[in-house]
PDB file of all heavy atoms in Angstrom:
ATOM      1  N   LEU A 192      -5.690 -11.066   3.798  1.00  0.00           N
ATOM      2  CA  LEU A 192      -4.676 -11.316   2.803  1.00  0.00           C
ATOM      3  C   LEU A 192      -3.314 -11.691   3.415  1.00  0.00           C
ATOM      4  O   LEU A 192      -2.645 -12.670   3.080  1.00  0.00           O
ATOM      5  CB  LEU A 192      -4.492 -10.125   1.714  1.00  0.00           C
ATOM      6  CG  LEU A 192      -5.766  -9.926   0.919  1.00  0.00           C
ATOM      7  CD1 LEU A 192      -5.433  -8.878  -0.090  1.00  0.00           C
ATOM      8  CD2 LEU A 192      -6.184 -11.280   0.123  1.00  0.00           C
ATOM      9  N   ASN A 193      -2.793 -10.782   4.251  1.00  0.00           N
ATOM     10  CA  ASN A 193      -1.394 -10.994   4.757  1.00  0.00           C
ATOM     11  C   ASN A 193      -1.281 -12.054   5.827  1.00  0.00           C
ATOM     12  O   ASN A 193      -0.284 -12.709   6.082  1.00  0.00           O
ATOM     13  CB  ASN A 193      -0.791  -9.589   5.271  1.00  0.00           C
ATOM     14  CG  ASN A 193      -0.190  -8.871   4.144  1.00  0.00           C
ATOM     15  OD1 ASN A 193       0.081  -9.500   3.078  1.00  0.00           O
ATOM     16  ND2 ASN A 193       0.174  -7.675   4.342  1.00  0.00           N
ATOM     17  N   ALA A 194      -2.439 -12.386   6.496  1.00  0.00           N
ATOM     18  CA  ALA A 194      -2.433 -13.453   7.291  1.00  0.00           C
ATOM     19  C   ALA A 194      -2.140 -14.767   6.533  1.00  0.00           C
ATOM     20  O   ALA A 194      -1.539 -15.658   7.098  1.00  0.00           O
ATOM     21  CB  ALA A 194      -3.822 -13.616   8.010  1.00  0.00           C
ATOM     22  N   LEU A 195      -2.509 -14.797   5.266  1.00  0.00           N
ATOM     23  CA  LEU A 195      -2.202 -15.842   4.443  1.00  0.00           C
ATOM     24  C   LEU A 195      -0.884 -15.764   3.629  1.00  0.00           C
ATOM     25  O   LEU A 195      -0.123 -16.594   3.479  1.00  0.00           O
ATOM     26  CB  LEU A 195      -3.331 -16.154   3.426  1.00  0.00           C
ATOM     27  CG  LEU A 195      -4.651 -16.466   4.070  1.00  0.00           C
ATOM     28  CD1 LEU A 195      -5.775 -16.490   3.019  1.00  0.00           C
ATOM     29  CD2 LEU A 195      -4.755 -17.800   4.730  1.00  0.00           C
ATOM     30  N   LEU A 196      -0.695 -14.471   3.131  1.00  0.00           N
ATOM     31  CA  LEU A 196       0.443 -14.240   2.132  1.00  0.00           C
ATOM     32  C   LEU A 196       1.799 -14.095   2.833  1.00  0.00           C
ATOM     33  O   LEU A 196       2.722 -14.558   2.176  1.00  0.00           O
ATOM     34  CB  LEU A 196       0.134 -12.967   1.443  1.00  0.00           C
ATOM     35  CG  LEU A 196      -0.917 -13.109   0.167  1.00  0.00           C
ATOM     36  CD1 LEU A 196      -1.048 -11.723  -0.437  1.00  0.00           C
ATOM     37  CD2 LEU A 196      -0.317 -13.986  -0.853  1.00  0.00           C
ATOM     38  N   VAL A 197       1.956 -13.504   3.971  1.00  0.00           N
ATOM     39  CA  VAL A 197       3.228 -13.358   4.451  1.00  0.00           C
ATOM     40  C   VAL A 197       3.846 -14.702   4.710  1.00  0.00           C
ATOM     41  O   VAL A 197       5.064 -14.985   4.208  1.00  0.00           O
ATOM     42  CB  VAL A 197       3.216 -12.461   5.868  1.00  0.00           C
ATOM     43  CG1 VAL A 197       4.567 -12.607   6.522  1.00  0.00           C
ATOM     44  CG2 VAL A 197       2.869 -11.090   5.542  1.00  0.00           C
ATOM     45  N   PRO A 198       3.183 -15.725   5.424  1.00  0.00           N
ATOM     46  CA  PRO A 198       3.776 -17.055   5.561  1.00  0.00           C
ATOM     47  C   PRO A 198       3.981 -17.666   4.259  1.00  0.00           C
ATOM     48  O   PRO A 198       5.001 -18.418   3.953  1.00  0.00           O
ATOM     49  CB  PRO A 198       2.843 -17.707   6.447  1.00  0.00           C
ATOM     50  CG  PRO A 198       2.081 -16.732   7.110  1.00  0.00           C
ATOM     51  CD  PRO A 198       1.908 -15.503   6.180  1.00  0.00           C
ATOM     52  N   PHE A 199       2.962 -17.610   3.351  1.00  0.00           N
ATOM     53  CA  PHE A 199       3.074 -18.268   1.994  1.00  0.00           C
ATOM     54  C   PHE A 199       4.191 -17.747   1.131  1.00  0.00           C
ATOM     55  O   PHE A 199       5.005 -18.575   0.588  1.00  0.00           O
ATOM     56  CB  PHE A 199       1.713 -17.981   1.280  1.00  0.00           C
ATOM     57  CG  PHE A 199       1.568 -18.659   0.030  1.00  0.00           C
ATOM     58  CD1 PHE A 199       1.443 -20.139  -0.115  1.00  0.00           C
ATOM     59  CD2 PHE A 199       1.780 -17.985  -1.242  1.00  0.00           C
ATOM     60  CE1 PHE A 199       1.577 -20.666  -1.441  1.00  0.00           C
ATOM     61  CE2 PHE A 199       1.726 -18.625  -2.437  1.00  0.00           C
ATOM     62  CZ  PHE A 199       1.582 -19.947  -2.571  1.00  0.00           C
ATOM     63  N   ASN A 200       4.363 -16.403   1.207  1.00  0.00           N
ATOM     64  CA  ASN A 200       5.551 -15.943   0.461  1.00  0.00           C
ATOM     65  C   ASN A 200       6.873 -16.368   0.935  1.00  0.00           C
ATOM     66  O   ASN A 200       7.830 -16.557   0.183  1.00  0.00           O
ATOM     67  CB  ASN A 200       5.384 -14.446   0.408  1.00  0.00           C
ATOM     68  CG  ASN A 200       4.293 -13.887  -0.569  1.00  0.00           C
ATOM     69  OD1 ASN A 200       3.775 -14.635  -1.292  1.00  0.00           O
ATOM     70  ND2 ASN A 200       4.056 -12.626  -0.390  1.00  0.00           N
ATOM     71  N   ASN A 201       6.912 -16.469   2.310  1.00  0.00           N
ATOM     72  CA  ASN A 201       8.240 -16.823   2.877  1.00  0.00           C
ATOM     73  C   ASN A 201       8.479 -18.403   2.625  1.00  0.00           C
ATOM     74  O   ASN A 201       9.581 -18.779   2.443  1.00  0.00           O
ATOM     75  CB  ASN A 201       8.108 -16.766   4.507  1.00  0.00           C
ATOM     76  CG  ASN A 201       8.364 -15.340   4.887  1.00  0.00           C
ATOM     77  OD1 ASN A 201       8.686 -14.446   4.178  1.00  0.00           O
ATOM     78  ND2 ASN A 201       7.956 -15.000   6.118  1.00  0.00           N
ATOM     79  N   ASP A 202       7.369 -19.154   2.496  1.00  0.00           N
ATOM     80  CA  ASP A 202       7.551 -20.537   2.150  1.00  0.00           C
ATOM     81  C   ASP A 202       8.032 -20.578   0.648  1.00  0.00           C
ATOM     82  O   ASP A 202       9.072 -21.506   0.541  1.00  0.00           O
ATOM     83  CB  ASP A 202       6.190 -21.273   2.136  1.00  0.00           C
ATOM     84  CG  ASP A 202       5.640 -21.473   3.561  1.00  0.00           C
ATOM     85  OD1 ASP A 202       6.370 -21.471   4.416  1.00  0.00           O
ATOM     86  OD2 ASP A 202       4.395 -21.821   3.633  1.00  0.00           O
ATOM     87  N   ALA A 203       7.674 -19.737  -0.097  1.00  0.00           N
ATOM     88  CA  ALA A 203       8.303 -19.839  -1.559  1.00  0.00           C
ATOM     89  C   ALA A 203       9.689 -19.469  -1.542  1.00  0.00           C
ATOM     90  O   ALA A 203      10.493 -20.098  -2.190  1.00  0.00           O
ATOM     91  CB  ALA A 203       7.416 -18.771  -2.356  1.00  0.00           C
ATOM     92  N   ILE A 204      10.113 -18.393  -0.671  1.00  0.00           N
ATOM     93  CA  ILE A 204      11.483 -18.156  -0.531  1.00  0.00           C
ATOM     94  C   ILE A 204      12.284 -19.337  -0.082  1.00  0.00           C
ATOM     95  O   ILE A 204      13.402 -19.541  -0.478  1.00  0.00           O
ATOM     96  CB  ILE A 204      11.658 -16.873   0.311  1.00  0.00           C
ATOM     97  CG1 ILE A 204      11.024 -15.619  -0.214  1.00  0.00           C
ATOM     98  CG2 ILE A 204      13.137 -16.578   0.627  1.00  0.00           C
ATOM     99  CD1 ILE A 204      10.938 -14.422   0.732  1.00  0.00           C
ATOM    100  N   ARG A 205      11.678 -20.000   0.982  1.00  0.00           N
ATOM    101  CA  ARG A 205      12.506 -21.097   1.581  1.00  0.00           C
ATOM    102  C   ARG A 205      12.665 -22.247   0.529  1.00  0.00           C
ATOM    103  O   ARG A 205      13.655 -23.037   0.733  1.00  0.00           O
ATOM    104  CB  ARG A 205      11.812 -21.568   2.843  1.00  0.00           C
ATOM    105  CG  ARG A 205      11.951 -20.535   3.894  1.00  0.00           C
ATOM    106  CD  ARG A 205      11.306 -20.962   5.302  1.00  0.00           C
ATOM    107  NE  ARG A 205      11.495 -20.032   6.357  1.00  0.00           N
ATOM    108  CZ  ARG A 205      10.624 -19.196   6.791  1.00  0.00           C
ATOM    109  NH1 ARG A 205       9.434 -19.309   6.330  1.00  0.00           N
ATOM    110  NH2 ARG A 205      10.900 -18.311   7.727  1.00  0.00           N
TER     111      ARG A 205
END
Side-chain angles (χ1 to χ4, degrees):
L192 293 184
N193 274 345
L195 299 171
L196 278 178
V197 171
F199 180 75
N200 288 347
N201 283 345
D202 288 344
I204 295 171
R205 291 188 177 100

